[in-house]
Amino acid sequence: MPVEITWWGHATCTVEDSGVRLLTDPLFARRLAHLRRRRGALPPPDAAVADAVLVSHMHSDHLHLPSLARLAPGTTLIVPRGASRAVPALRRLSGLRITEVAAGEEVRVKDLLVRAVPALHDGRRLPVGPHRAPALGYVVTGEARTYFAGDTGLFDGMAEAVGPVDVALLPVGGWGPFLGHEHLDAGRAAQALARLAPVAAVPVHYGTYWPIGLDGFRPHEFHSPGDEFVRKAARLAPEVAVHRLGHGESVRPEATR
């Protein structure tokens, strides 16, 4: 399973397979609105180097325009269908090749095939905004099959919609102390892992950003989801190798299976 995963923090990962680099939900900011980066240095400039970027949904901590502006001209940007209409500034990003997809559609990026899959999450840009596009996950198929869940809750038919995968990048927390049903916390992520049954998993979307002024409020909600996921995954999906990465760390799952 020759794939390498690097976690840069939050939902931002580099997936390298077959010599092709994909970047997920890039967020390279020290601060975003009321959120501050609490852990992990900002990703280095080469983190923005990718053949294609996968954007799971339109929330600004996943579709972050200043971070997308760091991409090199010619980079393919894969976004949910309707995102360009809902976020017109996307069209002003110089030189990016924007491709909109819906669940079930596929895009080829060199030797990789990217398939959009459903996610259970609010697709609006703003919490009360009228403009929406469906939230998505993606399955990347090359020498391995890698599932990037984006931001999602647990839903019926998840395993069938995603299909067989070798590596799962699953969100296990958030940026605040309370998560709704359209998110995976550590427990629900472990349930998802048991349904998906990949060879390996990497927890993401935790331990990076936290609301300013809430540093002392329920701090375990910020620090613990990664370790909690490892414990619960060992109970619910003991056959899966779980790799809890530090910020900027990489893993080749087949080398540590």
Side-chain angles (χ1 to χ4, degrees), residues 9 19-20 37 63 89 91 104 111 114 121 129 131 155 165 173 181 205 211 216 231:
V20 184
R37 191 174 179 109
L63 194 166
R91 304 189 192 101
D111 290 335
V114 177
H121 197 67
H131 300 299
F155 59 91
V165 292
H181 76 284
H205 204 286
R231 291 194 301 271

Side-chain angles (χ1 to χ4, degrees), residues 68-143:
L68 295 176
R70 291 177 53 178
L71 302 172
T75 302
T76 297
L77 182 62
I78 302 174
V79 298
R81 189 171 304 284
S84 296
R85 175 181 55 81
V87 188
L90 268 177
R91 304 189 192 101
R92 296 196 291 272
L93 294 175
S94 177
L96 299 186
R97 300 172 179 171
I98 299 175
T99 299
E100 297 193 352
V101 294
E105 296 181 339
E106 297 178 336
V107 178
R108 181 158 292 279
V109 181
K110 296 185 176 179
D111 290 335
L112 302 183
L113 188 65
V114 177
R115 176 170 55 92
V117 298
L120 176 63
H121 197 67
D122 187 352
R124 292 175 292 185
R125 177 66 166 173
L126 300 172
V128 295
H131 300 299
R132 64 177 67 233
L136 299 172
Y138 297 95
V139 176
V140 178
T141 300
E143 296 186 60

Side-chain angles (χ1 to χ4, degrees), residues 157-256:
M158 185 180 202
E160 292 77 13
V162 172
V165 292
D166 300 303
V167 183
L169 312 180
L170 295 178
V172 302
W175 51 255
F178 304 107
L179 294 174
H181 76 284
E182 293 188 349
H183 297 81
L184 293 179
D185 60 11
R188 291 192 291 270
Q191 293 177 50
L193 192 67
R195 297 184 187 185
L196 295 167
V199 174
V202 175
V204 302
H205 204 286
Y206 77 99
T208 308
Y209 292 91
W210 201 243
I212 295 170
L214 291 185
D215 295 37
F217 180 70
R218 297 172 65 88
H220 66 282
E221 298 281 357
F222 175 78
H223 294 291
S224 68
D227 289 333
E228 185 179 355
F229 173 71
V230 171
R231 291 194 301 271
K232 293 186 174 183
R235 179 170 57 86
L236 296 180
E239 72 286 354
V240 181
V242 176
H243 305 283
R244 189 180 70 80
L245 302 178
H247 293 81
E249 288 187 345
S250 302
V251 65
R252 293 183 177 180
E254 80 285 359
T256 51

